[in-house]
Amino acid sequence: MGETVGKLIGLNDEVISPTASLAMEAHNSPSKPFLVTKIKIRHDHLSVVVLAFRGSMLPNDWFGQPPFGETKIDTNKFRSLTSLNDGGDAVINGSFFRRFNIVLDQSSLVKVVKKAIAKKKQVVFSGYSSAGPIAILATLYFLENPEPNQILPPRCLTFGSPLFSDRIFGHALRREGWSDYFTHFVMKLLSHRDGECILCCKLRRLQSNGMQKPVTGHYKKSIIELSPYRPSGTYIFCTGNGNLVVVKNPNAVLQILIHCAELGESDAAEVEKRSMDEHLAYLSELKECLGMQAVVSLDGGPATATLNDLGLSPQAMLCLQSAEEFENGRSRNQDQFRKNKDKIEVELGKMRKYKENSEIRRVGYYDSFKLQNEDDDFHANVSRLELAGIWDKIEEMLKEFEVPDDFERKKEFIDIGTEYRRLVEPLDIANFYRHSKDKETGAYMIISEARPDRYLFIQRWLEHHEKKPFGSRSESLFWADVEQLGIDIKKKKNLQEIKDRIRQLERNMIAWIDVDKSLDKDVLLEKTTFVKWWRDLPHECKSESERIEKLIGEKEKAAGV
């Protein structure tokens, strides 16, 4: 204790209460999509512009198509809201997304925000109840599209906001380092009602069918387990007696929401009434809690006395401990990978030496590995398999979210992963075509049954880091393109399509070798598969003959020195 809410969330305390007031006012604003106010911070000499969005109680503004009204996020607007592991896009509530797009496209939102940023002001987006998701999406939009002169990132404060986004959404926020910019205030009993976006779609379907009886905790829990929606950002629970509980662990937040929603049959109607009363008296309750500033953070582990104020059962406490342990386990897994980096470096060192020795023989390590005539080729295969085992384990942990969300954004992991991919994937390709596996699985392509997933997600890490489109960093697939083109030429496939592919390969190769140095010049040695194949091509299939012949000559000259 001792810290204020503002210090814990990184926002001046003088901003929170006026923002809550504006959010309540804007919620029922009949004519404007959002309200704007300015707050002058006395001690920080900082001006804050708060935008609070209008809410809605219309069923269609909460819920679209069954079962939960979900839709995929538009990655043209929100490029970061995707999984780098499997390429899946975040899923959100379609009704809220539709309302956000209307505000974005048909109001002065962008103009107002750009003007505030140009004046070096802090921008805070806010929403109460159903306006909360609009505020979240607006904040994300301006995080994805920052102004060149922007000093401070936008912030988001919501009050009683329903859940509306899935696990990938929250994962992406934490991966990008944006999660701390989002703070959500929830009342003790409102975690039962306002958290109902987990449940709202199902509940509204039941009510539309004439079911008016309050839904019991057991049934609500079964609905929660089916719902795609999960919490993200920092949650602040108002306990009802002046205490504020700050929770950042998304699994812990979900457990609190679930267990607060578990009602016994006998008290269900009473709690429903009390939660609605709190919903209508939100502002006064919140201001009372903010005035007392009795703040506890759960980041250091469950605070039993404070959690008792939330009315959580012993089972709920155990679930919170499990959520904390899962988070600790993710950190341990990351630490273990750091320890494995030494082993990866040793094996990559062996691969570098193997590549150098092959180049001395003027064969190139791709062709040497494919021929398997030297003892070095056997040892290189052992290293290839050792490295595959380590990276496959990482892939498995990423798929199960068993490492911290920002793992795949850390430069140390991107760098070692990229070197591994560029150095070792060509050997996987050589092994693939040496055994003619293309006849069983089809071509070795960027996304195919043949290509191990470990290379795909490592490639995505780099492309995301460099803000480049998917597929733009496919230099490690160079040999697969060469092999497949050779096969397709023999099969006499569409000549024009083959010409286009050859010319694209030539352009890519020159860029990879000359511009970003991501493809080594050993592919240009006289005895390599590429040079033999390329020189046998009809002249009309080539578009960069002079440049490539020059590169081949330069490499041969350097190798002969």
Side-chain angles (χ1 to χ4, degrees), residues 310-483:
L310 289 172
L312 299 181
S313 65
Q315 181 186 359
M317 297 294 195
L318 289 174
C319 289
L320 286 179
Q321 290 175 5
S322 296
E324 181 190 4
E325 177 54 32
F326 179 75
E327 202 64 31
N328 292 337
R330 299 172 87 198
S331 296
R332 288 194 296 270
N333 289 337
Q334 178 172 267
D335 292 341
Q336 183 59 48
F337 180 73
R338 283 199 170 100
K339 293 177 182 177
N340 284 338
K341 276 183 66 181
D342 292 339
K343 186 175 183 180
I344 293 173
E345 287 287 2
V346 169
E347 297 303 328
L348 288 179
K350 294 177 184 178
M351 286 291 192
R352 294 186 206 104
K353 187 65 177 176
Y354 171 63
K355 187 175 182 180
E356 291 171 8
N357 291 339
S358 300
E359 190 167 342
I360 290 171
R361 297 195 300 271
R362 303 184 72 172
V363 177
Y365 83 131
Y366 175 83
D367 287 279
S368 180
F369 191 84
K370 191 175 178 184
L371 293 169
Q372 289 288 313
N373 289 334
E374 306 288 338
D375 288 344
D376 278 359
D377 303 324
F378 171 80
H379 296 304
N381 194 43
V382 172
S383 291
R384 179 180 73 93
L385 295 173
E386 286 276 354
L387 288 164
I390 294 172
W391 284 98
D392 282 345
K393 189 172 182 179
I394 289 296
E395 177 201 346
E396 183 180 339
M397 288 192 290
L398 283 165
K399 285 182 176 178
E400 298 299 323
F401 297 92
E402 291 177 352
V403 289
D405 295 289
D406 63 352
F407 178 94
E408 53 202 5
R409 189 169 171 262
K410 292 184 183 296
K411 194 171 186 304
E412 59 177 309
F413 301 147
I414 295 172
D415 288 346
I416 196 169
T418 298
E419 183 180 11
Y420 163 69
R421 177 174 63 87
R422 289 174 176 170
L423 196 55
V424 181
E425 186 166 21
L427 302 189
D428 274 43
I429 295 167
N431 186 68
F432 180 84
Y433 284 100
R434 178 172 183 262
H435 294 288
S436 301
K437 290 184 178 180
D438 58 299
K439 295 177 182 178
E440 302 171 14
T441 63
Y444 191 110
M445 298 164 59
I446 189 166
I447 298 182
S448 64
E449 182 182 343
R451 190 187 192 197
D453 287 345
R454 59 181 176 270
Y455 296 123
L456 181 60
F457 73 73
I458 293 172
Q459 179 180 331
R460 283 196 175 108
W461 291 359
L462 181 63
E463 290 166 345
H464 185 76
H465 175 71
E466 296 180 340
K467 296 187 178 350
K468 291 187 176 179
F470 172 65
S472 60
R473 278 307 201 167
S474 56
E475 62 278 350
S476 60
L477 290 167
F478 170 79
W479 285 111
D481 290 337
V482 171
E483 294 278 9

Side-chain angles (χ1 to χ4, degrees), residues 486-543:
I487 291 170
D488 292 346
I489 289 170
K490 288 178 182 177
K491 291 180 178 179
K492 297 182 179 179
K493 290 195 174 182
N494 184 289
L495 181 59
Q496 187 56 51
E497 180 189 340
I498 287 175
K499 283 182 181 179
D500 293 341
R501 287 165 59 195
I502 291 171
R503 290 168 181 172
Q504 184 61 55
L505 178 65
E506 289 177 324
R507 290 191 292 271
N508 288 343
M509 186 184 73
I510 291 170
W512 292 334
I513 289 175
D514 269 0
V515 180
D516 58 32
K517 316 296 181 186
S518 59
L519 183 65
D520 196 88
K521 288 185 177 180
D522 70 335
V523 303
L524 300 168
L525 290 167
E526 289 276 0
K527 296 180 182 179
T528 62
T529 296
F530 168 73
V531 172
K532 293 175 182 177
W533 167 80
W534 185 78
R535 283 181 169 165
D536 286 342
L537 288 173
H539 182 74
E540 62 270 18
C541 289
K542 305 174 185 178
S543 63

